[in-house]
Amino acid sequence: MVSKRFTAAIAKEGEWYVARSLEVEVTSQGKTVEEALTNLKEALELYFEDEEIPENIQAPIIAPLEVNFSNG
C-alpha cells in the first residue's frame, strides 16, 4: 500500500463545503468540513485506481493575494 499526502482547499458554497485537491483535478463536497474531506479522500482513492500515482508530489505554494478593483 502506498500513502501520499495531498493539499485540500475547502470553501463553503451555498449549503455545501467543497473540498478541492490542489495537486490534481479532483473535487468533492459534504455538508460539513469533515464530510467534505472524507469524500475528497475517497474520490482521490477512486481517481488513482485508473491513474498512475505520481512519485513526487510537490506541495503547492499557498499565498494570500490582494486585488484592488477600481469599480468598487
Side-chain angles (χ1 to χ4, degrees):
M1 178 169 282
V2 176
S3 179
K4 298 284 183 178
R5 182 177 294 260
F6 292 87
T7 307
I10 305 161
K12 180 114 189 216
E13 295 183 13
E15 295 184 20
W16 294 91
Y17 288 93
V18 177
R20 294 175 176 86
S21 168
L22 299 181
E23 291 82 6
V24 293
E25 296 290 325
V26 176
T27 301
S28 195
Q29 65 184 15
K31 295 261 184 198
T32 65
V33 170
E34 294 79 14
E35 183 178 299
L37 287 171
T38 297
N39 292 342
L40 178 60
K41 180 179 177 183
E42 182 178 313
L44 285 164
E45 290 168 347
L46 291 170
Y47 176 81
F48 284 112
E49 283 182 0
D50 296 327
E51 295 290 326
E52 186 174 323
I53 299 170
E55 288 188 30
N56 295 320
I57 297 174
Q58 295 291 326
I61 297 170
I62 308 291
L65 179 64
E66 184 172 328
V67 179
N68 297 313
F69 298 96
S70 60
N71 63 346

